[in-house]
Amino acid sequence: MQKLLTVLLAIVLLFTLTACTGGPLVATATPSPTPTPVPTPTPYVQMFTNEIWPETSITKQLPVFPYMLENAMQTDDEYFYATYQITRIDEFTGYVDDLKEAGFTVIEEELADPQQGYMYIASLEGSDGKFKISLWWDGGYGNLQVTDTRNK
């Protein structure tokens, strides 16, 4: 009789607990919150058209390029690119000499033909190759590219 009374009492308590919670006694796990994705920053790009040597964080570290840049752009503080038009080899080699005087060490230099093309790639001394300039000239048009990865 006592066992029956104990079982009935347990059933009554179970129903009471169910009535107080508003639902059946079911253990549920709380889901962990979904992490918010961190957005990838959009690179900051500056554009220049038909300018004499714009003053940017990168160009300030180089000798002034004395000729008109047709188009130029800088992405963050890491990359600068420009196109230009010069017709004489001495204009190009004059700027190469300015770079050498400013402390740039030649990585690669190739003069294909004074009227056909010239390539010059150099690194700023003490930058371990992380501040690099590349110049190409094809006898009329050329481009200039600078990368600065010293802060990476």
Side-chain angles (χ1 to χ4, degrees):
M1 181 76 169
Q2 263 185 341
K3 287 183 183 183
L4 181 63
L5 195 56
T6 305
V7 170
L8 283 175
L9 185 57
I11 291 174
V12 170
L13 287 174
L14 186 64
F15 283 121
T16 333
L17 285 173
T18 303
C20 292
T21 62
L25 287 178
V26 177
T28 58
T30 306
S32 60
T34 304
T36 305
V38 177
T40 304
T42 304
Y44 175 68
V45 177
Q46 292 175 283
M47 301 293 291
F48 310 95
T49 304
N50 296 324
E51 285 198 32
I52 296 284
W53 207 238
E55 190 170 308
T56 71
S57 59
I58 290 179
T59 60
K60 286 191 261 184
Q61 301 175 62
L62 298 165
V64 172
F65 189 77
Y67 308 103
M68 178 77 69
L69 299 177
E70 292 184 347
N71 294 295
M73 71 167 222
Q74 180 167 322
T75 305
D76 293 327
D77 291 330
E78 296 175 15
Y79 180 75
F80 180 81
Y81 177 83
T83 59
Y84 56 87
Q85 180 180 4
I86 54 178
T87 56
R88 297 187 346 246
I89 187 75
D90 61 328
E91 294 174 322
F92 183 86
T93 57
Y95 189 66
V96 168
D97 291 340
D98 292 344
L99 288 168
K100 290 176 182 176
E101 288 176 22
F104 281 83
T105 304
V106 176
I107 295 173
E108 188 172 347
E109 186 172 17
E110 183 179 320
L111 174 61
D113 176 332
Q115 299 306 315
Q116 296 299 317
Y118 197 113
M119 175 190 64
Y120 175 79
I121 302 171
S123 173
L124 182 63
E125 289 178 8
S127 72
D128 294 326
K130 293 182 177 184
F131 189 86
K132 193 180 332 180
I133 184 165
S134 303
L135 292 164
W136 291 274
W137 179 69
D138 69 2
Y141 291 93
N143 61 53
L144 178 149
Q145 176 180 322
V146 182
T147 54
D148 185 1
T149 57
R150 292 176 292 182
N151 294 327
K152 282 196 148 196

